[in-house]
Amino acid sequence: MLLTYVIPPAWALDAYGAAPASDPSADIPPFVIFAGMLAYCVGFHALVQIPSGLLGTRLGLSHGGLITYASTLAIAGILTASALLVALRMEDAGELTQLWADFMVRGSLGPAGYVWIARRSREITTT
């Protein structure tokens, strides 16, 4: 989630630079863009990262860490595509693919953390 604020998505940069803050005809004040990014982070975390982390680590308990991480990313990819299709109703496949890839790159570190914590807790409890 921190990655979104360190390197904002392209849509946020485009929206932020669309009109100067002193322009009274600006459609969106700059703070609303940052509030939108916060909502985007929380929504993505709740709809994609948590379910994919929990389900992926559950499915991969008897396998190695790499298999568990791959299954978590596969589940995250499916959930991300589903969420984007439902929320945005995009018809342009190229634009949808760009957004999907952006979400997946930004969200790939979260499941890695879930897998690492699950593997560590399992090793601690079995010893």
Side-chain angles (χ1 to χ4, degrees):
M1 288 174 42
L2 179 63
L3 184 62
T4 300
Y5 284 101
V6 174
I7 305 168
W11 62 264
L13 293 176
D14 291 342
Y16 192 75
S22 61
D23 184 8
S25 68
D27 292 336
I28 300 173
F31 74 88
V32 174
I33 297 168
F34 289 113
M37 286 175 41
L38 179 62
Y40 146 81
C41 286
V42 171
F44 184 70
H45 190 68
L47 292 173
V48 174
Q49 285 186 320
I50 291 173
S52 67
L54 292 173
L55 186 57
T57 53
R58 180 76 176 154
L59 292 174
L61 281 178
S62 61
H63 303 290
L66 190 58
I67 302 272
T68 304
Y69 182 60
S71 65
T72 302
L73 282 183
I75 294 166
I78 293 168
L79 289 175
T80 301
S82 302
L84 285 174
L85 285 171
V86 168
L88 301 179
R89 292 188 172 97
M90 301 173 89
E91 294 185 16
D92 183 17
E95 189 175 347
L96 180 67
T97 304
Q98 275 185 318
L99 271 176
W100 178 83
D102 182 52
F103 273 79
M104 288 305 296
V105 167
R106 291 176 188 282
S108 63
L109 294 178
Y114 290 133
V115 170
W116 185 78
I117 289 171
R119 302 287 300 168
R120 284 286 176 201
S121 65
R122 186 167 180 239
E123 289 173 6
I124 291 171
T125 58
T126 57
T127 56

